[in-house]
Amino acid sequence: MSDIVSSFLLTQVINYGAPLFALTLFLGALGLPLPGSLMVIAVGSFSQQGYFSWTQMAIIGLLSAVAGDAISFSMGNYGKSWVQKKIAASPTWINAQESFQRRAWLAILLTRFLITALAVPTNLIAGGSGYKFQRFMLYDFIGEATWIILYGGLGYAFGSQWEVLSDFISNFGGLVFGVVILALGIWLARNWQEKSTQTKQPSL
Amino acid sequence: MTKKHMVTILLILAGIAIILFFGSGALRAFKHMDGHGPFDDGPFDGKPPAANQADVSLIRDWMTVPYIAKMYQVPPDAILKGLEIHEKDDEDKKLSLKQLNEKYYPDQEGVVLAHIQSIIQAFQKQEHPPHFPATPIFTSTATP
C-alpha cells in the first residue's frame, strides 16, 4: 500500500513539481500517512538531475511543513480546554505536562528529522499543554530546516542512487522509534519498581 | 497485574519487536549501500552518453517518459515512437510507465519498462531502436 502511494506521489511530483511537493509535506505535517522523508530525498535527487531548482524546492518544502505543523499545534491548542476539563487535576497529567515543558525543545527538534513518526503527536501535545507558540515555531523551524537540508542534501549527493539511501533512512527512523518505545517502557518499569520498593520500606 | 504493568510490558515488547524489524531492514539497506555512494555521476557513471555507459536498471515504473528522457538525454518522442504510441495525446507524457503499460499493453505486464530500457540502450549505441516488444534486458525489482 505504501509503495503504491509512494509511486503515485513520485510520478505526480515529476508532473506538477513544487505545488505537489508542498501539498505532500503540508498534509504529512497534519498527520496524513504520506512519505514526507522519501519525497524530500527524491526531490533532492531530481534537483541534482536538473529537474527542479534545489533552492526553490527547499524554501517551498520548508514553508509548507512549518505551516502544517503550526496547524496541528493549533489543533492541540484547540483541544486544550477539553483535556483540562477531563484530566487537568490528574497528578500523572500534571507530571507529564511539567516534564514535557522542560524537554519540549528537544522533543520538537528531534521529531522533525530523526523520529518523524512522533512529530504530529508532539505538535498536539505541545499545543494541548499550553507550550508557547512562538517558542514552538522557533524549534519547529530549526528542526524542519535540518530535515530539508539534511535529507534533501543527501538525496542531491546520492543523485540517481537515492532509493538505496531512502531505504536506509526509513529503516533507521523506524529503529530510532523502536529505541524510544523501549526506553519509555524501561523508564516506566524502573518507576514502577522504585515506587513498589518505597511502599514496602516502611513495613520493614 | 494492573493496567499500568500491562502497558509497561507491552511497550517493552513492542520496542524490541520494532527494533528487530527496522534494525534488520537498516542493516540490509546499509549492506546494499555498499558500492553506491554520494556524488555518483548518474546513470552514465561519469562517461559521456556516446560511450554507452547508461545504467538502464535505474528506470522504475513510476517514472514518466519526459523524466526518463531528461535523465538519459534521449528525446521523449523517440521513446514514445519506440513504444509504438503514435497518439498525439499529451496526457501520455504525464503517465507513469506502469499506467502506460496498463493503457496500451494491458496483457503484457512490465513490457513498457523493458522496452524503454532497450530503446535507451539502442539510442546510446546509436543503433536503430528495437522492434516492439523487445526482449527484456532488466527486470526491475527495486521499489521506492
Side-chain angles (χ1 to χ4, degrees), chain A residues 3 7 11 14-15 46 49-51 157 160-164 168 171 174-175 178 181 185 188-189 192, chain B residues 5 8 11-12 15 18-19 22 25-26 29 33 36 38-40 42 58 60 62 64 67 70 94 143-144:
Chain A
D3 278 352
S7 297
T11 306
I14 286 172
N15 286 330
F46 299 160
Q49 291 161 3
Y51 218 74
S160 56
Q161 311 285 340
W162 68 271
E163 282 170 286
V164 185
F168 175 73
N171 279 296
L175 178 67
I181 297 288
L188 282 174
W192 157 41
Chain B
H5 298 162
T8 307
L11 277 174
I12 291 173
I18 293 168
I19 288 171
F22 286 106
M33 278 171 82
H36 302 273
F39 303 110
D40 280 353
L58 294 171
R60 300 282 180 265
W62 53 262
T64 62
Y67 176 75
K70 185 163 177 71
K94 287 188 174 177
T143 48

mmCIF file of all heavy atoms in Angstrom, chain A residues 3 7 11 14-15 46 49-51 157 160-164 168 171 174-175 178 181 185 188-189 192, chain B residues 5 8 11-12 15 18-19 22 25-26 29 33 36 38-40 42 58 60 62 64 67 70 94 143-144:
data_model
loop_
_atom_site.group_PDB
_atom_site.id
_atom_site.type_symbol
_atom_site.label_atom_id
_atom_site.label_comp_id
_atom_site.label_asym_id
_atom_site.label_seq_id
_atom_site.Cartn_x
_atom_site.Cartn_y
_atom_site.Cartn_z
ATOM 1 N N ASP A 3 3.912 1.479 -0.921
ATOM 2 C CA ASP A 3 4.655 1.534 -2.184
ATOM 3 C C ASP A 3 3.793 2.154 -3.286
ATOM 4 O O ASP A 3 4.294 2.903 -4.121
ATOM 5 C CB ASP A 3 5.081 0.128 -2.619
ATOM 6 C CG ASP A 3 6.347 -0.316 -1.896
ATOM 7 O OD1 ASP A 3 6.944 0.533 -1.197
ATOM 8 O OD2 ASP A 3 6.712 -1.489 -2.016
ATOM 9 N N SER A 7 4.824 5.533 -5.121
ATOM 10 C CA SER A 7 4.983 5.559 -6.577
ATOM 11 C C SER A 7 4.082 6.624 -7.199
ATOM 12 O O SER A 7 4.508 7.376 -8.079
ATOM 13 C CB SER A 7 4.629 4.192 -7.185
ATOM 14 O OG SER A 7 5.520 3.232 -6.705
ATOM 15 N N THR A 11 5.430 10.035 -9.211
ATOM 16 C CA THR A 11 5.007 10.373 -10.582
ATOM 17 C C THR A 11 4.419 11.786 -10.620
ATOM 18 O O THR A 11 4.733 12.589 -11.504
ATOM 19 C CB THR A 11 3.947 9.364 -11.094
ATOM 20 O OG1 THR A 11 4.464 8.053 -10.951
ATOM 21 C CG2 THR A 11 3.587 9.614 -12.542
ATOM 22 N N ILE A 14 6.909 14.652 -10.261
ATOM 23 C CA ILE A 14 7.609 14.874 -11.540
ATOM 24 C C ILE A 14 6.726 15.734 -12.447
ATOM 25 O O ILE A 14 7.185 16.649 -13.111
ATOM 26 C CB ILE A 14 7.928 13.520 -12.222
ATOM 27 C CG1 ILE A 14 9.078 12.807 -11.503
ATOM 28 C CG2 ILE A 14 8.292 13.724 -13.692
ATOM 29 C CD1 ILE A 14 9.300 11.388 -11.998
ATOM 30 N N ASN A 15 5.413 15.432 -12.447
ATOM 31 C CA ASN A 15 4.488 16.151 -13.334
ATOM 32 C C ASN A 15 4.176 17.568 -12.851
ATOM 33 O O ASN A 15 4.092 18.493 -13.654
ATOM 34 C CB ASN A 15 3.167 15.380 -13.458
ATOM 35 C CG ASN A 15 3.310 14.140 -14.320
ATOM 36 O OD1 ASN A 15 4.130 14.098 -15.233
ATOM 37 N ND2 ASN A 15 2.535 13.105 -14.026
ATOM 38 N N PHE A 46 16.151 14.705 -7.756
ATOM 39 C CA PHE A 46 15.640 15.277 -9.019
ATOM 40 C C PHE A 46 16.289 16.634 -9.286
ATOM 41 O O PHE A 46 16.522 16.998 -10.437
ATOM 42 C CB PHE A 46 14.115 15.435 -8.983
ATOM 43 C CG PHE A 46 13.341 14.149 -8.790
ATOM 44 C CD1 PHE A 46 12.031 14.159 -8.326
ATOM 45 C CD2 PHE A 46 13.920 12.915 -9.061
ATOM 46 C CE1 PHE A 46 11.313 12.975 -8.143
ATOM 47 C CE2 PHE A 46 13.211 11.722 -8.873
ATOM 48 C CZ PHE A 46 11.907 11.762 -8.407
ATOM 49 N N GLN A 49 19.583 16.189 -10.799
ATOM 50 C CA GLN A 49 19.484 15.823 -12.215
ATOM 51 C C GLN A 49 19.010 17.000 -13.081
ATOM 52 O O GLN A 49 18.797 16.842 -14.275
ATOM 53 C CB GLN A 49 18.520 14.636 -12.365
ATOM 54 C CG GLN A 49 19.074 13.359 -11.770
ATOM 55 C CD GLN A 49 17.990 12.324 -11.485
ATOM 56 O OE1 GLN A 49 16.820 12.516 -11.764
ATOM 57 N NE2 GLN A 49 18.404 11.202 -10.922
ATOM 58 N N GLY A 50 18.803 18.148 -12.437
ATOM 59 C CA GLY A 50 18.417 19.346 -13.180
ATOM 60 C C GLY A 50 16.931 19.463 -13.426
ATOM 61 O O GLY A 50 16.488 20.284 -14.228
ATOM 62 N N TYR A 51 16.138 18.647 -12.724
ATOM 63 C CA TYR A 51 14.701 18.657 -12.967
ATOM 64 C C TYR A 51 13.998 19.787 -12.218
ATOM 65 O O TYR A 51 12.995 20.300 -12.676
ATOM 66 C CB TYR A 51 14.110 17.295 -12.571
ATOM 67 C CG TYR A 51 13.028 16.824 -13.504
ATOM 68 C CD1 TYR A 51 13.337 16.338 -14.775
ATOM 69 C CD2 TYR A 51 11.698 16.877 -13.130
ATOM 70 C CE1 TYR A 51 12.341 15.926 -15.640
ATOM 71 C CE2 TYR A 51 10.692 16.455 -13.991
ATOM 72 C CZ TYR A 51 11.023 15.993 -15.238
ATOM 73 O OH TYR A 51 10.036 15.587 -16.096
ATOM 74 N N ALA A 157 23.173 14.558 -3.080
ATOM 75 C CA ALA A 157 24.507 13.954 -3.158
ATOM 76 C C ALA A 157 24.463 12.555 -3.781
ATOM 77 O O ALA A 157 25.338 12.195 -4.563
ATOM 78 C CB ALA A 157 25.114 13.887 -1.764
ATOM 79 N N SER A 160 21.064 9.711 -8.696
ATOM 80 C CA SER A 160 20.186 8.642 -9.191
ATOM 81 C C SER A 160 20.180 7.405 -8.289
ATOM 82 O O SER A 160 19.375 6.499 -8.483
ATOM 83 C CB SER A 160 20.581 8.258 -10.620
ATOM 84 O OG SER A 160 21.938 7.886 -10.644
ATOM 85 N N GLN A 161 21.067 7.360 -7.302
ATOM 86 C CA GLN A 161 21.120 6.215 -6.380
ATOM 87 C C GLN A 161 20.294 6.486 -5.115
ATOM 88 O O GLN A 161 20.461 5.796 -4.105
ATOM 89 C CB GLN A 161 22.580 5.952 -5.960
ATOM 90 C CG GLN A 161 23.577 5.893 -7.083
ATOM 91 C CD GLN A 161 23.492 4.604 -7.871
ATOM 92 O OE1 GLN A 161 22.965 3.607 -7.374
ATOM 93 N NE2 GLN A 161 23.980 4.605 -9.087
ATOM 94 N N TRP A 162 19.417 7.492 -5.158
ATOM 95 C CA TRP A 162 18.723 7.936 -3.946
ATOM 96 C C TRP A 162 17.855 6.868 -3.294
ATOM 97 O O TRP A 162 17.645 6.904 -2.087
ATOM 98 C CB TRP A 162 17.866 9.172 -4.254
ATOM 99 C CG TRP A 162 16.702 8.898 -5.150
ATOM 100 C CD1 TRP A 162 16.684 8.932 -6.508
ATOM 101 C CD2 TRP A 162 15.375 8.520 -4.766
ATOM 102 N NE1 TRP A 162 15.449 8.613 -6.985
ATOM 103 C CE2 TRP A 162 14.627 8.347 -5.936
ATOM 104 C CE3 TRP A 162 14.752 8.315 -3.544
ATOM 105 C CZ2 TRP A 162 13.286 7.971 -5.919
ATOM 106 C CZ3 TRP A 162 13.419 7.942 -3.520
ATOM 107 C CH2 TRP A 162 12.698 7.773 -4.700
ATOM 108 N N GLU A 163 17.373 5.897 -4.048
ATOM 109 C CA GLU A 163 16.471 4.893 -3.474
ATOM 110 C C GLU A 163 17.162 4.038 -2.409
ATOM 111 O O GLU A 163 16.543 3.649 -1.424
ATOM 112 C CB GLU A 163 15.933 3.984 -4.574
ATOM 113 C CG GLU A 163 14.831 4.636 -5.378
ATOM 114 C CD GLU A 163 14.495 3.812 -6.595
ATOM 115 O OE1 GLU A 163 15.284 3.827 -7.541
ATOM 116 O OE2 GLU A 163 13.474 3.147 -6.577
ATOM 117 N N VAL A 164 18.444 3.772 -2.628
ATOM 118 C CA VAL A 164 19.224 2.979 -1.675
ATOM 119 C C VAL A 164 19.299 3.743 -0.344
ATOM 120 O O VAL A 164 19.117 3.176 0.730
ATOM 121 C CB VAL A 164 20.660 2.753 -2.219
ATOM 122 C CG1 VAL A 164 21.451 1.856 -1.324
ATOM 123 C CG2 VAL A 164 20.622 2.206 -3.621
ATOM 124 N N PHE A 168 17.487 3.015 3.542
ATOM 125 C CA PHE A 168 18.257 3.009 4.792
ATOM 126 C C PHE A 168 17.670 4.008 5.790
ATOM 127 O O PHE A 168 17.459 3.673 6.956
ATOM 128 C CB PHE A 168 19.736 3.339 4.527
ATOM 129 C CG PHE A 168 20.540 3.470 5.790
ATOM 130 C CD1 PHE A 168 20.883 2.342 6.531
ATOM 131 C CD2 PHE A 168 20.920 4.711 6.265
ATOM 132 C CE1 PHE A 168 21.595 2.458 7.718
ATOM 133 C CE2 PHE A 168 21.638 4.829 7.448
ATOM 134 C CZ PHE A 168 21.977 3.693 8.177
ATOM 135 N N ASN A 171 14.328 2.889 7.362
ATOM 136 C CA ASN A 171 14.538 1.829 8.356
ATOM 137 C C ASN A 171 15.227 2.372 9.606
ATOM 138 O O ASN A 171 14.909 1.962 10.720
ATOM 139 C CB ASN A 171 15.379 0.701 7.757
ATOM 140 C CG ASN A 171 14.534 -0.234 6.919
ATOM 141 O OD1 ASN A 171 13.642 -0.886 7.429
ATOM 142 N ND2 ASN A 171 14.793 -0.279 5.633
ATOM 143 N N GLY A 174 12.738 4.118 11.782
ATOM 144 C CA GLY A 174 11.941 3.113 12.499
ATOM 145 C C GLY A 174 12.719 2.527 13.668
ATOM 146 O O GLY A 174 12.162 2.306 14.750
ATOM 147 N N LEU A 175 14.007 2.309 13.459
ATOM 148 C CA LEU A 175 14.866 1.757 14.513
ATOM 149 C C LEU A 175 14.935 2.727 15.705
ATOM 150 O O LEU A 175 14.781 2.310 16.862
ATOM 151 C CB LEU A 175 16.274 1.517 13.937
ATOM 152 C CG LEU A 175 17.339 0.991 14.890
ATOM 153 C CD1 LEU A 175 17.019 -0.422 15.348
ATOM 154 C CD2 LEU A 175 18.709 0.995 14.200
ATOM 155 N N GLY A 178 11.760 2.614 17.625
ATOM 156 C CA GLY A 178 11.740 1.420 18.483
ATOM 157 C C GLY A 178 12.548 1.638 19.750
ATOM 158 O O GLY A 178 12.124 1.244 20.844
ATOM 159 N N ILE A 181 10.522 3.772 22.132
ATOM 160 C CA ILE A 181 9.439 2.992 22.761
ATOM 161 C C ILE A 181 10.018 2.098 23.861
ATOM 162 O O ILE A 181 9.484 2.017 24.971
ATOM 163 C CB ILE A 181 8.699 2.131 21.689
ATOM 164 C CG1 ILE A 181 8.031 3.022 20.639
ATOM 165 C CG2 ILE A 181 7.690 1.183 22.332
ATOM 166 C CD1 ILE A 181 6.815 3.771 21.100
ATOM 167 N N GLY A 185 9.388 2.224 27.919
ATOM 168 C CA GLY A 185 8.967 1.037 28.671
ATOM 169 C C GLY A 185 9.888 0.777 29.854
ATOM 170 O O GLY A 185 9.426 0.506 30.977
ATOM 171 N N LEU A 188 9.349 3.401 32.568
ATOM 172 C CA LEU A 188 8.126 3.119 33.323
ATOM 173 C C LEU A 188 8.338 1.955 34.291
ATOM 174 O O LEU A 188 7.877 1.991 35.436
ATOM 175 C CB LEU A 188 6.965 2.804 32.362
ATOM 176 C CG LEU A 188 6.299 3.984 31.671
ATOM 177 C CD1 LEU A 188 5.281 3.501 30.644
ATOM 178 C CD2 LEU A 188 5.604 4.893 32.684
ATOM 179 N N ALA A 189 9.069 0.923 33.825
ATOM 180 C CA ALA A 189 9.321 -0.256 34.668
ATOM 181 C C ALA A 189 10.169 0.132 35.885
ATOM 182 O O ALA A 189 9.912 -0.340 36.999
ATOM 183 C CB ALA A 189 10.023 -1.329 33.846
ATOM 184 N N TRP A 192 8.047 2.091 38.338
ATOM 185 C CA TRP A 192 7.118 1.176 38.988
ATOM 186 C C TRP A 192 7.869 0.392 40.078
ATOM 187 O O TRP A 192 7.383 0.228 41.204
ATOM 188 C CB TRP A 192 6.519 0.290 37.889
ATOM 189 C CG TRP A 192 5.959 -1.041 38.270
ATOM 190 C CD1 TRP A 192 5.211 -1.332 39.369
ATOM 191 C CD2 TRP A 192 6.086 -2.258 37.534
ATOM 192 N NE1 TRP A 192 4.856 -2.643 39.363
ATOM 193 C CE2 TRP A 192 5.376 -3.242 38.249
ATOM 194 C CE3 TRP A 192 6.699 -2.619 36.331
ATOM 195 C CZ2 TRP A 192 5.286 -4.572 37.810
ATOM 196 C CZ3 TRP A 192 6.602 -3.928 35.896
ATOM 197 C CH2 TRP A 192 5.910 -4.892 36.627
ATOM 198 N N HIS B 5 1.045 -2.035 34.589
ATOM 199 C CA HIS B 5 2.044 -3.084 34.347
ATOM 200 C C HIS B 5 1.911 -3.640 32.937
ATOM 201 O O HIS B 5 2.912 -3.890 32.256
ATOM 202 C CB HIS B 5 1.889 -4.214 35.379
ATOM 203 C CG HIS B 5 2.119 -3.754 36.775
ATOM 204 N ND1 HIS B 5 1.690 -4.463 37.876
ATOM 205 C CD2 HIS B 5 2.725 -2.644 37.254
ATOM 206 C CE1 HIS B 5 2.020 -3.804 38.968
ATOM 207 N NE2 HIS B 5 2.652 -2.700 38.615
ATOM 208 N N THR B 8 3.377 -1.183 30.463
ATOM 209 C CA THR B 8 4.842 -1.206 30.526
ATOM 210 C C THR B 8 5.401 -2.414 29.772
ATOM 211 O O THR B 8 6.314 -2.270 28.945
ATOM 212 C CB THR B 8 5.294 -1.241 32.007
ATOM 213 O OG1 THR B 8 4.671 -0.175 32.683
ATOM 214 C CG2 THR B 8 6.791 -1.132 32.126
ATOM 215 N N LEU B 11 4.903 -1.997 26.050
ATOM 216 C CA LEU B 11 5.854 -1.032 25.464
ATOM 217 C C LEU B 11 7.216 -1.675 25.255
ATOM 218 O O LEU B 11 7.841 -1.498 24.197
ATOM 219 C CB LEU B 11 5.995 0.197 26.373
ATOM 220 C CG LEU B 11 4.941 1.287 26.242
ATOM 221 C CD1 LEU B 11 5.141 2.354 27.304
ATOM 222 C CD2 LEU B 11 4.988 1.928 24.862
ATOM 223 N N ILE B 12 7.677 -2.435 26.250
ATOM 224 C CA ILE B 12 8.990 -3.084 26.136
ATOM 225 C C ILE B 12 8.978 -4.106 24.987
ATOM 226 O O ILE B 12 9.881 -4.124 24.147
ATOM 227 C CB ILE B 12 9.402 -3.741 27.479
ATOM 228 C CG1 ILE B 12 9.686 -2.631 28.507
ATOM 229 C CG2 ILE B 12 10.621 -4.648 27.308
ATOM 230 C CD1 ILE B 12 9.946 -3.107 29.913
ATOM 231 N N GLY B 15 8.750 -2.281 21.665
ATOM 232 C CA GLY B 15 10.048 -1.657 21.376
ATOM 233 C C GLY B 15 11.028 -2.661 20.810
ATOM 234 O O GLY B 15 11.690 -2.402 19.793
ATOM 235 N N ILE B 18 9.946 -3.691 17.270
ATOM 236 C CA ILE B 18 10.208 -2.621 16.279
ATOM 237 C C ILE B 18 11.706 -2.537 15.989
ATOM 238 O O ILE B 18 12.123 -2.400 14.834
ATOM 239 C CB ILE B 18 9.643 -1.263 16.779
ATOM 240 C CG1 ILE B 18 8.113 -1.313 16.837
ATOM 241 C CG2 ILE B 18 10.062 -0.124 15.873
ATOM 242 C CD1 ILE B 18 7.469 -0.146 17.572
ATOM 243 N N ILE B 19 12.528 -2.648 17.055
ATOM 244 C CA ILE B 19 13.986 -2.582 16.863
ATOM 245 C C ILE B 19 14.454 -3.729 15.967
ATOM 246 O O ILE B 19 15.250 -3.530 15.047
ATOM 247 C CB ILE B 19 14.711 -2.608 18.230
ATOM 248 C CG1 ILE B 19 14.508 -1.264 18.938
ATOM 249 C CG2 ILE B 19 16.201 -2.903 18.071
ATOM 250 C CD1 ILE B 19 14.980 -1.235 20.372
ATOM 251 N N PHE B 22 13.004 -3.080 12.179
ATOM 252 C CA PHE B 22 13.665 -1.997 11.433
ATOM 253 C C PHE B 22 15.186 -2.119 11.466
ATOM 254 O O PHE B 22 15.859 -1.679 10.540
ATOM 255 C CB PHE B 22 13.210 -0.627 11.961
ATOM 256 C CG PHE B 22 11.814 -0.273 11.545
ATOM 257 C CD1 PHE B 22 10.769 -0.313 12.447
ATOM 258 C CD2 PHE B 22 11.537 0.090 10.239
ATOM 259 C CE1 PHE B 22 9.475 0.001 12.067
ATOM 260 C CE2 PHE B 22 10.247 0.407 9.839
ATOM 261 C CZ PHE B 22 9.214 0.359 10.761
ATOM 262 N N GLY B 25 16.128 -4.336 8.711
ATOM 263 C CA GLY B 25 15.934 -3.582 7.464
ATOM 264 C C GLY B 25 17.048 -2.572 7.228
ATOM 265 O O GLY B 25 17.554 -2.435 6.112
ATOM 266 N N ALA B 26 17.437 -1.880 8.323
ATOM 267 C CA ALA B 26 18.506 -0.876 8.211
ATOM 268 C C ALA B 26 19.835 -1.548 7.854
ATOM 269 O O ALA B 26 20.600 -1.037 7.030
ATOM 270 C CB ALA B 26 18.631 -0.107 9.516
ATOM 271 N N ALA B 29 19.703 -2.569 4.224
ATOM 272 C CA ALA B 29 19.842 -1.375 3.363
ATOM 273 C C ALA B 29 21.272 -0.848 3.397
ATOM 274 O O ALA B 29 21.791 -0.397 2.375
ATOM 275 C CB ALA B 29 18.868 -0.299 3.820
ATOM 276 N N MET B 33 23.957 -0.424 0.360
ATOM 277 C CA MET B 33 24.566 0.872 0.014
ATOM 278 C C MET B 33 26.017 0.711 -0.417
ATOM 279 O O MET B 33 26.589 1.624 -1.006
ATOM 280 C CB MET B 33 24.508 1.831 1.214
ATOM 281 C CG MET B 33 23.178 2.518 1.366
ATOM 282 S SD MET B 33 23.055 3.425 2.906
ATOM 283 C CE MET B 33 23.890 4.928 2.455
ATOM 284 N N HIS B 36 27.339 2.055 -3.635
ATOM 285 C CA HIS B 36 26.540 3.214 -4.058
ATOM 286 C C HIS B 36 26.914 4.354 -3.128
ATOM 287 O O HIS B 36 26.579 4.304 -1.954
ATOM 288 C CB HIS B 36 25.043 2.954 -3.915
ATOM 289 C CG HIS B 36 24.570 1.777 -4.695
ATOM 290 N ND1 HIS B 36 24.196 1.859 -6.000
ATOM 291 C CD2 HIS B 36 24.430 0.475 -4.348
ATOM 292 C CE1 HIS B 36 23.827 0.664 -6.425
ATOM 293 N NE2 HIS B 36 23.962 -0.188 -5.448
ATOM 294 N N PRO B 38 27.692 8.761 -2.348
ATOM 295 C CA PRO B 38 27.289 10.088 -2.783
ATOM 296 C C PRO B 38 28.164 10.568 -3.925
ATOM 297 O O PRO B 38 29.275 10.074 -4.123
ATOM 298 C CB PRO B 38 27.489 10.943 -1.528
ATOM 299 C CG PRO B 38 28.452 10.201 -0.691
ATOM 300 C CD PRO B 38 28.289 8.766 -1.009
ATOM 301 N N PHE B 39 27.624 11.514 -4.651
ATOM 302 C CA PHE B 39 28.321 12.151 -5.773
ATOM 303 C C PHE B 39 28.706 11.164 -6.882
ATOM 304 O O PHE B 39 29.748 11.272 -7.498
ATOM 305 C CB PHE B 39 29.525 12.964 -5.282
ATOM 306 C CG PHE B 39 29.115 14.000 -4.280
ATOM 307 C CD1 PHE B 39 29.470 13.863 -2.947
ATOM 308 C CD2 PHE B 39 28.314 15.073 -4.646
ATOM 309 C CE1 PHE B 39 29.044 14.805 -2.002
ATOM 310 C CE2 PHE B 39 27.880 16.011 -3.711
ATOM 311 C CZ PHE B 39 28.263 15.868 -2.382
ATOM 312 N N ASP B 40 27.857 10.144 -7.095
ATOM 313 C CA ASP B 40 27.962 9.334 -8.306
ATOM 314 C C ASP B 40 27.511 10.225 -9.447
ATOM 315 O O ASP B 40 26.736 11.156 -9.241
ATOM 316 C CB ASP B 40 27.005 8.118 -8.240
ATOM 317 C CG ASP B 40 27.587 7.000 -7.408
ATOM 318 O OD1 ASP B 40 28.764 7.130 -7.024
ATOM 319 O OD2 ASP B 40 26.866 6.027 -7.139
ATOM 320 N N GLY B 42 25.414 9.785 -11.855
ATOM 321 C CA GLY B 42 24.172 9.436 -12.515
ATOM 322 C C GLY B 42 24.297 8.196 -13.368
ATOM 323 O O GLY B 42 25.254 7.434 -13.241
ATOM 324 N N LEU B 58 18.223 1.583 -13.556
ATOM 325 C CA LEU B 58 17.708 2.616 -12.642
ATOM 326 C C LEU B 58 16.300 3.076 -13.039
ATOM 327 O O LEU B 58 15.673 3.836 -12.304
ATOM 328 C CB LEU B 58 18.642 3.834 -12.630
ATOM 329 C CG LEU B 58 20.041 3.604 -12.048
ATOM 330 C CD1 LEU B 58 20.929 4.809 -12.298
ATOM 331 C CD2 LEU B 58 19.973 3.316 -10.566
ATOM 332 N N ARG B 60 12.440 3.036 -13.283
ATOM 333 C CA ARG B 60 11.376 2.454 -12.447
ATOM 334 C C ARG B 60 10.026 2.696 -13.103
ATOM 335 O O ARG B 60 9.870 3.637 -13.894
ATOM 336 C CB ARG B 60 11.361 3.116 -11.060
ATOM 337 C CG ARG B 60 12.653 2.953 -10.287
ATOM 338 C CD ARG B 60 12.755 1.557 -9.682
ATOM 339 N NE ARG B 60 13.990 1.419 -8.940
ATOM 340 C CZ ARG B 60 15.109 0.891 -9.449
ATOM 341 N NH1 ARG B 60 15.135 0.443 -10.690
ATOM 342 N NH2 ARG B 60 16.197 0.784 -8.708
ATOM 343 N N TRP B 62 7.393 3.991 -11.874
ATOM 344 C CA TRP B 62 6.701 5.234 -11.504
ATOM 345 C C TRP B 62 7.198 6.421 -12.339
ATOM 346 O O TRP B 62 6.620 7.506 -12.283
ATOM 347 C CB TRP B 62 6.855 5.539 -10.010
ATOM 348 C CG TRP B 62 8.261 5.562 -9.485
ATOM 349 C CD1 TRP B 62 8.889 4.540 -8.836
ATOM 350 C CD2 TRP B 62 9.228 6.620 -9.568
ATOM 351 N NE1 TRP B 62 10.185 4.910 -8.502
ATOM 352 C CE2 TRP B 62 10.410 6.179 -8.936
ATOM 353 C CE3 TRP B 62 9.202 7.904 -10.113
ATOM 354 C CZ2 TRP B 62 11.556 6.968 -8.839
ATOM 355 C CZ3 TRP B 62 10.343 8.694 -10.010
ATOM 356 C CH2 TRP B 62 11.495 8.219 -9.371
ATOM 357 N N THR B 64 8.050 8.894 -15.562
ATOM 358 C CA THR B 64 7.320 9.283 -16.772
ATOM 359 C C THR B 64 8.304 9.335 -17.945
ATOM 360 O O THR B 64 9.526 9.393 -17.730
ATOM 361 C CB THR B 64 6.670 10.669 -16.608
ATOM 362 O OG1 THR B 64 7.715 11.629 -16.407
ATOM 363 C CG2 THR B 64 5.720 10.727 -15.433
ATOM 364 N N TYR B 67 10.625 12.427 -17.935
ATOM 365 C CA TYR B 67 11.648 12.325 -16.889
ATOM 366 C C TYR B 67 12.784 11.397 -17.345
ATOM 367 O O TYR B 67 13.965 11.736 -17.210
ATOM 368 C CB TYR B 67 11.018 11.823 -15.580
ATOM 369 C CG TYR B 67 12.043 11.595 -14.489
ATOM 370 C CD1 TYR B 67 12.618 12.673 -13.825
ATOM 371 C CD2 TYR B 67 12.459 10.311 -14.149
ATOM 372 C CE1 TYR B 67 13.577 12.480 -12.841
ATOM 373 C CE2 TYR B 67 13.418 10.109 -13.167
ATOM 374 C CZ TYR B 67 13.972 11.201 -12.518
ATOM 375 O OH TYR B 67 14.932 10.993 -11.549
ATOM 376 N N LYS B 70 14.913 13.061 -19.941
ATOM 377 C CA LYS B 70 15.878 14.028 -19.394
ATOM 378 C C LYS B 70 17.031 13.305 -18.702
ATOM 379 O O LYS B 70 18.189 13.682 -18.855
ATOM 380 C CB LYS B 70 15.165 14.967 -18.422
ATOM 381 C CG LYS B 70 16.083 16.079 -17.916
ATOM 382 C CD LYS B 70 15.294 17.211 -17.318
ATOM 383 C CE LYS B 70 16.199 18.287 -16.742
ATOM 384 N NZ LYS B 70 16.905 19.059 -17.749
ATOM 385 N N LYS B 94 2.288 12.440 -19.085
ATOM 386 C CA LYS B 94 2.144 12.573 -17.635
ATOM 387 C C LYS B 94 1.902 11.217 -16.966
ATOM 388 O O LYS B 94 1.816 11.143 -15.739
ATOM 389 C CB LYS B 94 0.997 13.523 -17.300
ATOM 390 C CG LYS B 94 1.351 14.970 -17.593
ATOM 391 C CD LYS B 94 0.308 15.920 -17.079
ATOM 392 C CE LYS B 94 0.787 17.356 -17.277
ATOM 393 N NZ LYS B 94 -0.189 18.333 -16.867
ATOM 394 N N THR B 143 11.739 -1.233 -5.478
ATOM 395 C CA THR B 143 10.640 -0.276 -5.420
ATOM 396 C C THR B 143 11.012 0.811 -4.426
ATOM 397 O O THR B 143 11.780 0.557 -3.513
ATOM 398 C CB THR B 143 9.333 -0.950 -4.960
ATOM 399 O OG1 THR B 143 9.622 -1.713 -3.816
ATOM 400 C CG2 THR B 143 8.726 -1.780 -6.054
ATOM 401 N N PRO B 144 10.484 2.029 -4.600
ATOM 402 C CA PRO B 144 10.868 3.111 -3.663
ATOM 403 C C PRO B 144 10.308 2.856 -2.274
ATOM 404 O O PRO B 144 9.320 2.191 -2.125
ATOM 405 C CB PRO B 144 10.231 4.347 -4.291
ATOM 406 C CG PRO B 144 9.138 3.832 -5.125
ATOM 407 C CD PRO B 144 9.531 2.471 -5.601
#
